[in-house]
Amino acid sequence: AQSVTQLGSHVSVSEGALVLLRCNYSSSVPPYLFWYVQYPNQGLQLLLKYTSAATLVKGINGFEAEFKKSETSFHLTKPSAHMSDAAEYFCAVSRYGSGNTGKLIFGQGTTLQVKP
Amino acid sequence: DTEVTQTPKHLVMGMTNKKSLKCEQHMGHRAMYWYKQKAKKPPELMFVYSYEKLSINESVPSRFSPECPNSSLLNLHLHALQPEDSALYLCASSQELPTDTQYFGPGTRLTVL
């Protein structure tokens, strides 16, 4: 069964520093992996999606993630943090449900704090 | 356009009230979802509709009743809720495949008194 583990419930970086948010998955089939961001009192916004077309996936707002099968990881990075990046980040893997519908299995989330 | 809209944004209701949450998308998506999210937690799947038919019910109490009147609309009818049902309710939609991207609405913040 698919599952997702996000290492670190809270990450704090200085503005301009590298952002690294960790995600490890378990899946018995090639996974479809997602990173979503949630700003306070808002819905989830898709940052990027891995679909096996390329191991390095570029997303919005300067974020990217690298799929490493050998490490079962899909870590999210951004070279230089901006104050506006402060938010909750969720890693997710899709799982087939019944009737050809899918279920997103979310990690517990990582709160990113950006200090001036 | 990848917009999913939800109304109302905020809802306060008593335990004996009946209310409804509404969700709409015009992306031609054939799958729609309801999630419940408590503070500092990931979203929890409640229901999935595929081609306007209920496909997944994650053992949700019957005080929550979903409805999909057409391919663009999804409702969640609420009756006799409990204070612990207070949460952010998120709607999402996707194309038709399980691996298609889900696009989320802004949510309805529900408070049950």
Side-chain angles (χ1 to χ4, degrees), chain A residues 7-61:
Chain A
L7 299 175
S9 60
H10 190 98
V11 171
S12 181
V13 301
S14 297
E15 191 174 19
L18 172 72
V19 175
L20 171 60
L21 304 182
R22 300 177 187 274
C23 173
N24 287 88
Y25 70 92
S26 67
S27 176
S28 57
V29 296
Y32 280 69
L33 293 159
F34 305 80
W35 275 101
Y36 283 90
V37 61
Q38 186 175 32
Y39 299 100
N41 298 312
Q42 293 188 27
L44 277 68
Q45 180 182 8
L46 179 71
L47 280 176
L48 49 82
K49 173 184 179 182
Y50 170 73
T51 61
S52 77
T55 56
L56 184 62
V57 183
K58 294 189 182 298
I60 63 171
N61 301 340

Side-chain angles (χ1 to χ4, degrees), chain A residues 32 34 36 38 41-44 46 49 90 94-104 106-108 111, chain B residues 33 35 37 40-43 45 48 50 55-56 58 88 90 96-106 109:
Chain A
Y32 280 69
F34 305 80
Y36 283 90
Q38 186 175 32
N41 298 312
Q42 293 188 27
L44 277 68
L46 179 71
K49 173 184 179 182
F90 292 100
S94 64
R95 189 174 85 186
Y96 281 75
S98 63
N100 201 37
T101 54
K103 300 173 66 169
L104 274 179
F106 287 95
Q108 288 301 301
T111 302
Chain B
Y33 311 76
Y35 289 85
Q37 186 181 27
K40 301 297 184 185
K41 295 291 186 182
L45 183 66
V48 181
S50 176
S55 177
I56 296 176
E58 292 286 271
L88 182 68
L90 295 164
E96 49 194 285
L97 296 178
T99 51
D100 289 326
T101 299
Q102 292 185 27
Y103 295 92
F104 286 79
R109 176 72 61 186

Side-chain angles (χ1 to χ4, degrees), chain B:
Chain B
D1 183 13
T2 56
E3 187 178 25
V4 176
T5 58
Q6 291 186 242
T7 55
K9 289 190 176 183
H10 302 274
L11 179 62
V12 179
M13 59 186 292
M15 289 190 285
T16 58
N17 292 156
K18 287 185 179 181
K19 296 288 184 181
S20 296
L21 309 184
K22 297 184 185 301
C23 173
E24 190 168 5
Q25 57 89 12
H26 294 288
M27 296 177 278
H29 289 172
R30 303 316 299 264
M32 297 186 76
Y33 311 76
W34 279 116
Y35 289 85
K36 173 183 177 180
Q37 186 181 27
K38 302 286 269 185
K40 301 297 184 185
K41 295 291 186 182
E44 300 172 22
L45 183 66
M46 299 175 72
F47 303 103
V48 181
Y49 273 82
S50 176
Y51 288 86
E52 301 158 47
K53 292 190 186 323
L54 184 64
S55 177
I56 296 176
N57 177 342
E58 292 286 271
S59 302
V60 179
S62 59
R63 58 185 184 268
F64 295 92
S65 176
E67 178 195 21
C68 189
N70 60 57
S71 60
S72 299
L73 291 174
L74 187 66
N75 298 321
L76 186 63
H77 303 297
L78 314 173
H79 173 56
L81 294 192
Q82 303 297 310
E84 58 265 29
D85 296 321
S86 298
L88 182 68
Y89 288 84
L90 295 164
C91 173
S93 71
S94 68
Q95 291 285 356
E96 49 194 285
L97 296 178
T99 51
D100 289 326
T101 299
Q102 292 185 27
Y103 295 92
F104 286 79
T108 293
R109 176 72 61 186
L110 174 67
T111 302
V112 182
L113 301 176

